[in-house]
Amino acid sequence: MRLLLGMLAAALVAPASALAGGPTLTMGEVPLHADRTTAAAAPHFNLVGLHWRGSGSVLYRTRSAAGRWGPWRAADDDGRIEHAWHLGNLDWTGESTAIRFRTRGEMSRLRAYYVWSPVEQLGARRLQIAGAPSIIPRLSWGADESIRRAPPAYANTISFAVVHHTAGSNNYTPAQSAAIVRGIELYHVQGNGWNDIGYNLLVDKYGQVFEGRYGGVDRNVIGAHAQGFNTGSVGVAVLGDYGTTSLPAAAKTALEQVLAWRLDLAHVDPLTLVPWLSGGNPRFPVGIPVVLRAISGHRDTGFTDCPGDALYAQLSQIAKDVAALGGPKIYAPSVARDAEGQVRFTARVSAAQPWTVAIVNSSGVQVAQGSGTGSSVDWTWDASAAPADRYTWTIAAPNARSATGTLGAVAALAVQKATASPAELAPGETTTLTYTLTSAATITASLVAPNGQLLAILLTAPKPAGTQTLTFTPPPGLLNGQYAIAIAAIAGTKTATASVPFTVDDILTGFSSTGPTLSYTLTRPPISVALQVLRGTTVVAVPPPPPVVAGPQTLTWDGTLADGSGALDGTYTLALTIADESATFTRTASVTFDRTAPRITVVSYRNLRFSISEPATLTLVVGTQRYTRILKKAKTTQFWLRTKPAAYRLIATDAAGNSTLVRYRR
């Protein structure tokens, strides 16, 4: 082991004027080829950072201004290697006048960077941001904006946080914290050659929070704190060494508050796992998938001990504390648009409650809205024909920070999917017109005669984008024939139209159903009458039709299928079709066959525990006592009686009246 007493020569001594001015950095090459090297003096410094080449390691100790030598410390590069140089952390040493080095293993070059960062009074300004602790901005801690090498770069999103410690001594005062931050900025830029300070935020042991890299604490600034994982992360460093020292309460509180605010701003659940592709470092080559925690330690991303064993062990609890801070939160908002223009919005809400999704165009007009209740947001906007515009979407829930973003659409104003149901009306019947607007517009709905004559204006009103409905009952005296409801949509200079045909015919009245029997009245003889039985969409029977005559009619299906077999249990649709010279009417009714009794499986006779195969009413008869329970689904259930009966009967009856009996006698 080499011992190098790096009391370096006068070339490394900082100018006297710098001792009272701003931070200064002095670099010196440390000789490695002599067994013992000494110098008469060393620069005045309170932070030191080391760069070295080779696979070996280096230790150092410093002499305080009072003349006392401190303990040996290992230089830690946090796995940062650039151009074959290990870039060590900048460690706080306190005011020092000399340094010694020890090297182990192979080492070809060693550089020492000595930083003198005097204590200066902090500016009074603080960033007060809802949900965040008070943040000391760059202006207040004295950032040197003149040394920044490039403007900030931004990521699309923040997906996780990386927690660091800066290492070095924990023996600093609240007033010295800003001096440490200023020194880190100087070292990262002029020593490491980075664009700016590497961390996005810094927290001291007293709970002070400092703005780090320039560009806005509430923006997705790409830092230089976790090689291969800088884009998409926020780096938060705690000043000091937390290898064996637990995080002080004030620091833990501030760290949790700033993480809670920053992750909520990005809508990240602090308790989730995040799959991520490495951007490349010595541990994880480019493109290697890595699963990180939403609040990870620096060591999760590379070869490093950072943020120290003690702080790293607290990260799981810190994540739980962060998740519990504040009110409800919206997590993982996502927007997916398919090739047909359907835009699906999804998210999670930390506590089940009402939520909304709103779409606003570039003029600030809301064009669509969806809503629901629960902890899952899932709503789709049909934007297939939305006008070409820039839209803003917002997912909101009470007392939660809203999620917002932008998207574009490419189609013009249109009235889509316009239908009337039913499309054939008897006198007094009502049809429901349904249509979709691709964007907000003023709607006019008109009744049009078979010859195209305008008969009446049914509606004129502004409508938002989305699905719309209009009910219509033909007025008394409207003659039989085919009519239409014309829809005209106007939005600024854009127009769109649609026409929905329907038929008025007085041949059929009084349609009703009772089980498999249909009842109706024909006002005159039709051209034809037909009955079909469907199971789903498949025709399974065609019963013989009744005579084609006027008057009251009944038509009953006896349950026989087309192949002559009896209908199996299940639900069937009876479709009655009547045609005359004006229209073809189809009216439907459902009938359910259920001839199978519920199945009772005895789980325990003695403990009165049973499994029932379908929804049923259970009746337990014990002597003269009856106990009833209604099951709305197939399940296992149990009767709780104070005394176990020696004998009983259990009856299960389904909605069709089918029953099953189980008897028990001890």
Side-chain angles (χ1 to χ4, degrees), residues 159-162 226 228-229 231-233 269-278 283-284 289-302 312:
S159 298
F160 57 98
V162 180
F229 296 85
T231 301
S233 70
D269 183 347
L271 297 178
T272 54
L273 297 177
V274 181
W276 204 255
L277 295 180
S278 171
R283 181 180 179 186
F284 298 114
V290 181
V291 177
L292 300 171
R293 293 174 292 175
I295 299 178
S296 288
H298 188 189
R299 66 177 63 179
D300 296 323
T301 69
Y312 187 79

PDB file of all heavy atoms in Angstrom, residues 159-162 226 228-229 231-233 269-278 283-284 289-302 312:
ATOM      1  N   SER A 159     -40.853   9.036 -14.026  1.00  0.00           N
ATOM      2  CA  SER A 159     -41.433   7.733 -13.694  1.00  0.00           C
ATOM      3  C   SER A 159     -40.953   7.188 -12.359  1.00  0.00           C
ATOM      4  O   SER A 159     -41.575   6.266 -11.820  1.00  0.00           O
ATOM      5  CB  SER A 159     -41.114   6.724 -14.799  1.00  0.00           C
ATOM      6  OG  SER A 159     -41.688   7.126 -16.028  1.00  0.00           O
ATOM      7  N   PHE A 160     -39.847   7.702 -11.817  1.00  0.00           N
ATOM      8  CA  PHE A 160     -39.346   7.202 -10.536  1.00  0.00           C
ATOM      9  C   PHE A 160     -38.374   8.222  -9.958  1.00  0.00           C
ATOM     10  O   PHE A 160     -37.941   9.154 -10.642  1.00  0.00           O
ATOM     11  CB  PHE A 160     -38.671   5.834 -10.687  1.00  0.00           C
ATOM     12  CG  PHE A 160     -37.528   5.802 -11.676  1.00  0.00           C
ATOM     13  CD1 PHE A 160     -36.212   5.898 -11.247  1.00  0.00           C
ATOM     14  CD2 PHE A 160     -37.778   5.657 -13.024  1.00  0.00           C
ATOM     15  CE1 PHE A 160     -35.159   5.857 -12.149  1.00  0.00           C
ATOM     16  CE2 PHE A 160     -36.737   5.614 -13.945  1.00  0.00           C
ATOM     17  CZ  PHE A 160     -35.425   5.714 -13.506  1.00  0.00           C
ATOM     18  N   ALA A 161     -38.063   8.041  -8.680  1.00  0.00           N
ATOM     19  CA  ALA A 161     -37.098   8.893  -7.987  1.00  0.00           C
ATOM     20  C   ALA A 161     -35.899   8.056  -7.568  1.00  0.00           C
ATOM     21  O   ALA A 161     -36.044   6.872  -7.235  1.00  0.00           O
ATOM     22  CB  ALA A 161     -37.743   9.540  -6.761  1.00  0.00           C
ATOM     23  N   VAL A 162     -34.722   8.666  -7.593  1.00  0.00           N
ATOM     24  CA  VAL A 162     -33.487   8.008  -7.134  1.00  0.00           C
ATOM     25  C   VAL A 162     -32.941   8.821  -5.964  1.00  0.00           C
ATOM     26  O   VAL A 162     -32.697  10.028  -6.092  1.00  0.00           O
ATOM     27  CB  VAL A 162     -32.446   7.921  -8.267  1.00  0.00           C
ATOM     28  CG1 VAL A 162     -31.180   7.232  -7.754  1.00  0.00           C
ATOM     29  CG2 VAL A 162     -33.007   7.168  -9.472  1.00  0.00           C
ATOM     30  N   ALA A 226     -27.568   9.475 -11.934  1.00  0.00           N
ATOM     31  CA  ALA A 226     -27.610   8.013 -11.973  1.00  0.00           C
ATOM     32  C   ALA A 226     -27.380   7.588 -13.414  1.00  0.00           C
ATOM     33  O   ALA A 226     -28.320   7.503 -14.200  1.00  0.00           O
ATOM     34  CB  ALA A 226     -28.953   7.490 -11.452  1.00  0.00           C
ATOM     35  N   GLY A 228     -27.201   6.218 -16.901  1.00  0.00           N
ATOM     36  CA  GLY A 228     -28.075   5.256 -17.561  1.00  0.00           C
ATOM     37  C   GLY A 228     -29.520   5.356 -17.129  1.00  0.00           C
ATOM     38  O   GLY A 228     -30.389   4.727 -17.742  1.00  0.00           O
ATOM     39  N   PHE A 229     -29.795   6.139 -16.081  1.00  0.00           N
ATOM     40  CA  PHE A 229     -31.151   6.235 -15.550  1.00  0.00           C
ATOM     41  C   PHE A 229     -31.526   7.693 -15.243  1.00  0.00           C
ATOM     42  O   PHE A 229     -32.395   7.941 -14.419  1.00  0.00           O
ATOM     43  CB  PHE A 229     -31.291   5.378 -14.279  1.00  0.00           C
ATOM     44  CG  PHE A 229     -31.094   3.903 -14.532  1.00  0.00           C
ATOM     45  CD1 PHE A 229     -29.817   3.355 -14.533  1.00  0.00           C
ATOM     46  CD2 PHE A 229     -32.171   3.085 -14.797  1.00  0.00           C
ATOM     47  CE1 PHE A 229     -29.628   2.003 -14.788  1.00  0.00           C
ATOM     48  CE2 PHE A 229     -31.998   1.736 -15.048  1.00  0.00           C
ATOM     49  CZ  PHE A 229     -30.721   1.189 -15.040  1.00  0.00           C
ATOM     50  N   THR A 231     -32.669  10.054 -17.528  1.00  0.00           N
ATOM     51  CA  THR A 231     -33.881  10.450 -18.231  1.00  0.00           C
ATOM     52  C   THR A 231     -35.082   9.716 -17.643  1.00  0.00           C
ATOM     53  O   THR A 231     -35.087   8.489 -17.561  1.00  0.00           O
ATOM     54  CB  THR A 231     -33.762  10.141 -19.730  1.00  0.00           C
ATOM     55  OG1 THR A 231     -32.637  10.833 -20.266  1.00  0.00           O
ATOM     56  CG2 THR A 231     -35.017  10.566 -20.475  1.00  0.00           C
ATOM     57  N   GLY A 232     -36.078  10.486 -17.220  1.00  0.00           N
ATOM     58  CA  GLY A 232     -37.274   9.881 -16.637  1.00  0.00           C
ATOM     59  C   GLY A 232     -37.232   9.738 -15.139  1.00  0.00           C
ATOM     60  O   GLY A 232     -38.156   9.156 -14.548  1.00  0.00           O
ATOM     61  N   SER A 233     -36.193  10.251 -14.497  1.00  0.00           N
ATOM     62  CA  SER A 233     -36.091  10.143 -13.036  1.00  0.00           C
ATOM     63  C   SER A 233     -35.846  11.515 -12.434  1.00  0.00           C
ATOM     64  O   SER A 233     -35.430  12.448 -13.116  1.00  0.00           O
ATOM     65  CB  SER A 233     -34.950   9.198 -12.636  1.00  0.00           C
ATOM     66  OG  SER A 233     -33.684   9.773 -12.934  1.00  0.00           O
ATOM     67  N   ASP A 269     -47.212   6.385  -8.387  1.00  0.00           N
ATOM     68  CA  ASP A 269     -47.515   5.711  -7.126  1.00  0.00           C
ATOM     69  C   ASP A 269     -46.190   5.326  -6.466  1.00  0.00           C
ATOM     70  O   ASP A 269     -45.420   4.536  -7.033  1.00  0.00           O
ATOM     71  CB  ASP A 269     -48.345   4.457  -7.409  1.00  0.00           C
ATOM     72  CG  ASP A 269     -48.774   3.726  -6.141  1.00  0.00           C
ATOM     73  OD1 ASP A 269     -48.239   4.039  -5.059  1.00  0.00           O
ATOM     74  OD2 ASP A 269     -49.637   2.837  -6.235  1.00  0.00           O
ATOM     75  N   PRO A 270     -45.890   5.871  -5.284  1.00  0.00           N
ATOM     76  CA  PRO A 270     -44.588   5.595  -4.664  1.00  0.00           C
ATOM     77  C   PRO A 270     -44.388   4.145  -4.254  1.00  0.00           C
ATOM     78  O   PRO A 270     -43.263   3.751  -3.935  1.00  0.00           O
ATOM     79  CB  PRO A 270     -44.574   6.523  -3.438  1.00  0.00           C
ATOM     80  CG  PRO A 270     -45.994   6.842  -3.174  1.00  0.00           C
ATOM     81  CD  PRO A 270     -46.692   6.827  -4.489  1.00  0.00           C
ATOM     82  N   LEU A 271     -45.442   3.335  -4.263  1.00  0.00           N
ATOM     83  CA  LEU A 271     -45.326   1.937  -3.824  1.00  0.00           C
ATOM     84  C   LEU A 271     -45.250   0.959  -4.994  1.00  0.00           C
ATOM     85  O   LEU A 271     -45.263  -0.257  -4.779  1.00  0.00           O
ATOM     86  CB  LEU A 271     -46.517   1.578  -2.930  1.00  0.00           C
ATOM     87  CG  LEU A 271     -46.629   2.375  -1.627  1.00  0.00           C
ATOM     88  CD1 LEU A 271     -47.866   1.967  -0.851  1.00  0.00           C
ATOM     89  CD2 LEU A 271     -45.382   2.185  -0.770  1.00  0.00           C
ATOM     90  N   THR A 272     -45.159   1.458  -6.222  1.00  0.00           N
ATOM     91  CA  THR A 272     -45.155   0.566  -7.376  1.00  0.00           C
ATOM     92  C   THR A 272     -43.736   0.205  -7.804  1.00  0.00           C
ATOM     93  O   THR A 272     -42.759   0.825  -7.394  1.00  0.00           O
ATOM     94  CB  THR A 272     -45.877   1.207  -8.574  1.00  0.00           C
ATOM     95  OG1 THR A 272     -45.298   2.488  -8.837  1.00  0.00           O
ATOM     96  CG2 THR A 272     -47.356   1.357  -8.300  1.00  0.00           C
ATOM     97  N   LEU A 273     -43.658  -0.832  -8.643  1.00  0.00           N
ATOM     98  CA  LEU A 273     -42.413  -1.206  -9.306  1.00  0.00           C
ATOM     99  C   LEU A 273     -42.449  -0.665 -10.732  1.00  0.00           C
ATOM    100  O   LEU A 273     -43.494  -0.660 -11.382  1.00  0.00           O
ATOM    101  CB  LEU A 273     -42.243  -2.726  -9.321  1.00  0.00           C
ATOM    102  CG  LEU A 273     -42.112  -3.393  -7.954  1.00  0.00           C
ATOM    103  CD1 LEU A 273     -42.024  -4.906  -8.118  1.00  0.00           C
ATOM    104  CD2 LEU A 273     -40.886  -2.883  -7.202  1.00  0.00           C
ATOM    105  N   VAL A 274     -41.284  -0.229 -11.223  1.00  0.00           N
ATOM    106  CA  VAL A 274     -41.214   0.434 -12.529  1.00  0.00           C
ATOM    107  C   VAL A 274     -40.233  -0.332 -13.416  1.00  0.00           C
ATOM    108  O   VAL A 274     -39.031  -0.349 -13.140  1.00  0.00           O
ATOM    109  CB  VAL A 274     -40.738   1.893 -12.378  1.00  0.00           C
ATOM    110  CG1 VAL A 274     -40.689   2.578 -13.728  1.00  0.00           C
ATOM    111  CG2 VAL A 274     -41.633   2.646 -11.407  1.00  0.00           C
ATOM    112  N   PRO A 275     -40.714  -0.999 -14.480  1.00  0.00           N
ATOM    113  CA  PRO A 275     -39.775  -1.616 -15.430  1.00  0.00           C
ATOM    114  C   PRO A 275     -39.127  -0.533 -16.283  1.00  0.00           C
ATOM    115  O   PRO A 275     -39.814   0.353 -16.799  1.00  0.00           O
ATOM    116  CB  PRO A 275     -40.682  -2.540 -16.261  1.00  0.00           C
ATOM    117  CG  PRO A 275     -42.046  -1.945 -16.149  1.00  0.00           C
ATOM    118  CD  PRO A 275     -42.119  -1.242 -14.828  1.00  0.00           C
ATOM    119  N   TRP A 276     -37.797  -0.605 -16.439  1.00  0.00           N
ATOM    120  CA  TRP A 276     -37.080   0.471 -17.135  1.00  0.00           C
ATOM    121  C   TRP A 276     -35.941  -0.117 -17.949  1.00  0.00           C
ATOM    122  O   TRP A 276     -35.338  -1.114 -17.550  1.00  0.00           O
ATOM    123  CB  TRP A 276     -36.538   1.476 -16.120  1.00  0.00           C
ATOM    124  CG  TRP A 276     -36.312   2.844 -16.682  1.00  0.00           C
ATOM    125  CD1 TRP A 276     -35.123   3.421 -17.010  1.00  0.00           C
ATOM    126  CD2 TRP A 276     -37.322   3.803 -16.997  1.00  0.00           C
ATOM    127  NE1 TRP A 276     -35.323   4.679 -17.501  1.00  0.00           N
ATOM    128  CE2 TRP A 276     -36.665   4.947 -17.503  1.00  0.00           C
ATOM    129  CE3 TRP A 276     -38.709   3.808 -16.899  1.00  0.00           C
ATOM    130  CZ2 TRP A 276     -37.349   6.084 -17.922  1.00  0.00           C
ATOM    131  CZ3 TRP A 276     -39.399   4.944 -17.304  1.00  0.00           C
ATOM    132  CH2 TRP A 276     -38.727   6.055 -17.804  1.00  0.00           C
ATOM    133  N   LEU A 277     -35.641   0.491 -19.074  1.00  0.00           N
ATOM    134  CA  LEU A 277     -34.505   0.073 -19.894  1.00  0.00           C
ATOM    135  C   LEU A 277     -33.311   0.960 -19.578  1.00  0.00           C
ATOM    136  O   LEU A 277     -33.405   2.191 -19.639  1.00  0.00           O
ATOM    137  CB  LEU A 277     -34.847   0.163 -21.379  1.00  0.00           C
ATOM    138  CG  LEU A 277     -35.938  -0.783 -21.886  1.00  0.00           C
ATOM    139  CD1 LEU A 277     -36.155  -0.575 -23.387  1.00  0.00           C
ATOM    140  CD2 LEU A 277     -35.583  -2.232 -21.613  1.00  0.00           C
ATOM    141  N   SER A 278     -32.176   0.339 -19.257  1.00  0.00           N
ATOM    142  CA  SER A 278     -30.977   1.105 -18.925  1.00  0.00           C
ATOM    143  C   SER A 278     -30.479   1.864 -20.140  1.00  0.00           C
ATOM    144  O   SER A 278     -30.490   1.362 -21.268  1.00  0.00           O
ATOM    145  CB  SER A 278     -29.884   0.164 -18.419  1.00  0.00           C
ATOM    146  OG  SER A 278     -28.655   0.855 -18.287  1.00  0.00           O
ATOM    147  N   ARG A 283     -22.740  -1.454 -14.834  1.00  0.00           N
ATOM    148  CA  ARG A 283     -23.520  -2.574 -14.295  1.00  0.00           C
ATOM    149  C   ARG A 283     -24.606  -3.033 -15.259  1.00  0.00           C
ATOM    150  O   ARG A 283     -24.821  -4.229 -15.450  1.00  0.00           O
ATOM    151  CB  ARG A 283     -24.151  -2.168 -12.965  1.00  0.00           C
ATOM    152  CG  ARG A 283     -24.974  -3.288 -12.324  1.00  0.00           C
ATOM    153  CD  ARG A 283     -25.586  -2.848 -11.005  1.00  0.00           C
ATOM    154  NE  ARG A 283     -26.392  -3.899 -10.409  1.00  0.00           N
ATOM    155  CZ  ARG A 283     -27.133  -3.754  -9.310  1.00  0.00           C
ATOM    156  NH1 ARG A 283     -27.150  -2.573  -8.674  1.00  0.00           N
ATOM    157  NH2 ARG A 283     -27.841  -4.762  -8.831  1.00  0.00           N
ATOM    158  N   PHE A 284     -25.322  -2.084 -15.869  1.00  0.00           N
ATOM    159  CA  PHE A 284     -26.439  -2.407 -16.759  1.00  0.00           C
ATOM    160  C   PHE A 284     -26.162  -1.822 -18.143  1.00  0.00           C
ATOM    161  O   PHE A 284     -26.312  -0.610 -18.347  1.00  0.00           O
ATOM    162  CB  PHE A 284     -27.749  -1.835 -16.210  1.00  0.00           C
ATOM    163  CG  PHE A 284     -28.157  -2.389 -14.875  1.00  0.00           C
ATOM    164  CD1 PHE A 284     -28.195  -1.558 -13.753  1.00  0.00           C
ATOM    165  CD2 PHE A 284     -28.497  -3.719 -14.732  1.00  0.00           C
ATOM    166  CE1 PHE A 284     -28.579  -2.050 -12.516  1.00  0.00           C
ATOM    167  CE2 PHE A 284     -28.886  -4.232 -13.496  1.00  0.00           C
ATOM    168  CZ  PHE A 284     -28.919  -3.400 -12.380  1.00  0.00           C
ATOM    169  N   PRO A 289     -33.267  -4.510 -19.455  1.00  0.00           N
ATOM    170  CA  PRO A 289     -34.430  -4.152 -18.627  1.00  0.00           C
ATOM    171  C   PRO A 289     -34.110  -4.295 -17.141  1.00  0.00           C
ATOM    172  O   PRO A 289     -33.504  -5.280 -16.718  1.00  0.00           O
ATOM    173  CB  PRO A 289     -35.504  -5.154 -19.071  1.00  0.00           C
ATOM    174  CG  PRO A 289     -34.738  -6.321 -19.610  1.00  0.00           C
ATOM    175  CD  PRO A 289     -33.460  -5.773 -20.175  1.00  0.00           C
ATOM    176  N   VAL A 290     -34.514  -3.310 -16.373  1.00  0.00           N
ATOM    177  CA  VAL A 290     -34.279  -3.291 -14.921  1.00  0.00           C
ATOM    178  C   VAL A 290     -35.603  -2.928 -14.242  1.00  0.00           C
ATOM    179  O   VAL A 290     -36.294  -2.013 -14.681  1.00  0.00           O
ATOM    180  CB  VAL A 290     -33.196  -2.262 -14.543  1.00  0.00           C
ATOM    181  CG1 VAL A 290     -32.951  -2.273 -13.035  1.00  0.00           C
ATOM    182  CG2 VAL A 290     -31.910  -2.535 -15.302  1.00  0.00           C
ATOM    183  N   VAL A 291     -35.961  -3.663 -13.204  1.00  0.00           N
ATOM    184  CA  VAL A 291     -37.162  -3.346 -12.442  1.00  0.00           C
ATOM    185  C   VAL A 291     -36.755  -2.541 -11.210  1.00  0.00           C
ATOM    186  O   VAL A 291     -35.996  -3.020 -10.367  1.00  0.00           O
ATOM    187  CB  VAL A 291     -37.927  -4.615 -12.020  1.00  0.00           C
ATOM    188  CG1 VAL A 291     -39.142  -4.242 -11.169  1.00  0.00           C
ATOM    189  CG2 VAL A 291     -38.368  -5.394 -13.250  1.00  0.00           C
ATOM    190  N   LEU A 292     -37.221  -1.303 -11.133  1.00  0.00           N
ATOM    191  CA  LEU A 292     -36.890  -0.399 -10.046  1.00  0.00           C
ATOM    192  C   LEU A 292     -38.116  -0.142  -9.187  1.00  0.00           C
ATOM    193  O   LEU A 292     -39.249  -0.282  -9.640  1.00  0.00           O
ATOM    194  CB  LEU A 292     -36.381   0.933 -10.599  1.00  0.00           C
ATOM    195  CG  LEU A 292     -35.135   0.882 -11.474  1.00  0.00           C
ATOM    196  CD1 LEU A 292     -34.900   2.233 -12.118  1.00  0.00           C
ATOM    197  CD2 LEU A 292     -33.921   0.460 -10.662  1.00  0.00           C
ATOM    198  N   ARG A 293     -37.881   0.252  -7.945  1.00  0.00           N
ATOM    199  CA  ARG A 293     -38.971   0.773  -7.129  1.00  0.00           C
ATOM    200  C   ARG A 293     -39.213   2.230  -7.518  1.00  0.00           C
ATOM    201  O   ARG A 293     -38.313   2.917  -7.996  1.00  0.00           O
ATOM    202  CB  ARG A 293     -38.611   0.679  -5.653  1.00  0.00           C
ATOM    203  CG  ARG A 293     -38.508  -0.744  -5.133  1.00  0.00           C
ATOM    204  CD  ARG A 293     -38.002  -0.777  -3.706  1.00  0.00           C
ATOM    205  NE  ARG A 293     -36.613  -0.348  -3.611  1.00  0.00           N
ATOM    206  CZ  ARG A 293     -35.957  -0.197  -2.461  1.00  0.00           C
ATOM    207  NH1 ARG A 293     -36.585  -0.434  -1.315  1.00  0.00           N
ATOM    208  NH2 ARG A 293     -34.705   0.176  -2.464  1.00  0.00           N
ATOM    209  N   ALA A 294     -40.429   2.689  -7.324  1.00  0.00           N
ATOM    210  CA  ALA A 294     -40.728   4.086  -7.650  1.00  0.00           C
ATOM    211  C   ALA A 294     -39.849   5.033  -6.842  1.00  0.00           C
ATOM    212  O   ALA A 294     -39.533   6.135  -7.296  1.00  0.00           O
ATOM    213  CB  ALA A 294     -42.201   4.389  -7.408  1.00  0.00           C
ATOM    214  N   ILE A 295     -39.455   4.625  -5.635  1.00  0.00           N
ATOM    215  CA  ILE A 295     -38.444   5.345  -4.857  1.00  0.00           C
ATOM    216  C   ILE A 295     -37.275   4.394  -4.673  1.00  0.00           C
ATOM    217  O   ILE A 295     -37.317   3.495  -3.817  1.00  0.00           O
ATOM    218  CB  ILE A 295     -39.000   5.827  -3.508  1.00  0.00           C
ATOM    219  CG1 ILE A 295     -40.167   6.788  -3.728  1.00  0.00           C
ATOM    220  CG2 ILE A 295     -37.902   6.500  -2.682  1.00  0.00           C
ATOM    221  CD1 ILE A 295     -40.818   7.279  -2.449  1.00  0.00           C
ATOM    222  N   SER A 296     -36.272   4.528  -5.502  1.00  0.00           N
ATOM    223  CA  SER A 296     -35.119   3.625  -5.500  1.00  0.00           C
ATOM    224  C   SER A 296     -33.916   4.309  -4.875  1.00  0.00           C
ATOM    225  O   SER A 296     -33.838   5.545  -4.811  1.00  0.00           O
ATOM    226  CB  SER A 296     -34.773   3.191  -6.931  1.00  0.00           C
ATOM    227  OG  SER A 296     -35.717   2.295  -7.448  1.00  0.00           O
ATOM    228  N   GLY A 297     -32.961   3.498  -4.449  1.00  0.00           N
ATOM    229  CA  GLY A 297     -31.669   4.012  -4.041  1.00  0.00           C
ATOM    230  C   GLY A 297     -30.727   4.008  -5.228  1.00  0.00           C
ATOM    231  O   GLY A 297     -30.910   3.250  -6.192  1.00  0.00           O
ATOM    232  N   HIS A 298     -29.705   4.859  -5.180  1.00  0.00           N
ATOM    233  CA  HIS A 298     -28.759   4.938  -6.290  1.00  0.00           C
ATOM    234  C   HIS A 298     -28.135   3.580  -6.582  1.00  0.00           C
ATOM    235  O   HIS A 298     -27.900   3.228  -7.745  1.00  0.00           O
ATOM    236  CB  HIS A 298     -27.678   5.974  -5.958  1.00  0.00           C
ATOM    237  CG  HIS A 298     -26.760   6.280  -7.099  1.00  0.00           C
ATOM    238  ND1 HIS A 298     -25.634   7.043  -6.952  1.00  0.00           N
ATOM    239  CD2 HIS A 298     -26.790   5.928  -8.412  1.00  0.00           C
ATOM    240  CE1 HIS A 298     -25.005   7.148  -8.112  1.00  0.00           C
ATOM    241  NE2 HIS A 298     -25.685   6.479  -9.017  1.00  0.00           N
ATOM    242  N   ARG A 299     -27.905   2.771  -5.550  1.00  0.00           N
ATOM    243  CA  ARG A 299     -27.266   1.468  -5.759  1.00  0.00           C
ATOM    244  C   ARG A 299     -28.133   0.532  -6.608  1.00  0.00           C
ATOM    245  O   ARG A 299     -27.624  -0.445  -7.166  1.00  0.00           O
ATOM    246  CB  ARG A 299     -26.954   0.804  -4.418  1.00  0.00           C
ATOM    247  CG  ARG A 299     -28.166   0.427  -3.598  1.00  0.00           C
ATOM    248  CD  ARG A 299     -27.774  -0.296  -2.314  1.00  0.00           C
ATOM    249  NE  ARG A 299     -26.979   0.544  -1.426  1.00  0.00           N
ATOM    250  CZ  ARG A 299     -26.538   0.136  -0.236  1.00  0.00           C
ATOM    251  NH1 ARG A 299     -26.826  -1.082   0.203  1.00  0.00           N
ATOM    252  NH2 ARG A 299     -25.824   0.948   0.526  1.00  0.00           N
ATOM    253  N   ASP A 300     -29.458   0.805  -6.698  1.00  0.00           N
ATOM    254  CA  ASP A 300     -30.328  -0.022  -7.540  1.00  0.00           C
ATOM    255  C   ASP A 300     -30.033   0.168  -9.020  1.00  0.00           C
ATOM    256  O   ASP A 300     -30.434  -0.658  -9.846  1.00  0.00           O
ATOM    257  CB  ASP A 300     -31.802   0.308  -7.280  1.00  0.00           C
ATOM    258  CG  ASP A 300     -32.230  -0.027  -5.861  1.00  0.00           C
ATOM    259  OD1 ASP A 300     -31.755  -1.050  -5.337  1.00  0.00           O
ATOM    260  OD2 ASP A 300     -33.032   0.729  -5.288  1.00  0.00           O
ATOM    261  N   THR A 301     -29.329   1.251  -9.372  1.00  0.00           N
ATOM    262  CA  THR A 301     -29.088   1.561 -10.786  1.00  0.00           C
ATOM    263  C   THR A 301     -27.643   1.329 -11.213  1.00  0.00           C
ATOM    264  O   THR A 301     -27.340   1.480 -12.405  1.00  0.00           O
ATOM    265  CB  THR A 301     -29.457   3.026 -11.086  1.00  0.00           C
ATOM    266  OG1 THR A 301     -28.518   3.894 -10.438  1.00  0.00           O
ATOM    267  CG2 THR A 301     -30.864   3.346 -10.607  1.00  0.00           C
ATOM    268  N   GLY A 302     -26.739   1.000 -10.297  1.00  0.00           N
ATOM    269  CA  GLY A 302     -25.344   0.834 -10.691  1.00  0.00           C
ATOM    270  C   GLY A 302     -24.484   0.312  -9.561  1.00  0.00           C
ATOM    271  O   GLY A 302     -24.964   0.013  -8.462  1.00  0.00           O
ATOM    272  N   TYR A 312     -30.465   3.453   2.820  1.00  0.00           N
ATOM    273  CA  TYR A 312     -31.076   2.501   1.891  1.00  0.00           C
ATOM    274  C   TYR A 312     -32.080   1.607   2.612  1.00  0.00           C
ATOM    275  O   TYR A 312     -33.149   1.298   2.072  1.00  0.00           O
ATOM    276  CB  TYR A 312     -29.991   1.655   1.225  1.00  0.00           C
ATOM    277  CG  TYR A 312     -30.508   0.761   0.124  1.00  0.00           C
ATOM    278  CD1 TYR A 312     -30.783   1.276  -1.142  1.00  0.00           C
ATOM    279  CD2 TYR A 312     -30.729  -0.590   0.345  1.00  0.00           C
ATOM    280  CE1 TYR A 312     -31.262   0.459  -2.166  1.00  0.00           C
ATOM    281  CE2 TYR A 312     -31.209  -1.417  -0.662  1.00  0.00           C
ATOM    282  CZ  TYR A 312     -31.466  -0.888  -1.914  1.00  0.00           C
ATOM    283  OH  TYR A 312     -31.952  -1.700  -2.917  1.00  0.00           O
TER     284      TYR A 312
END
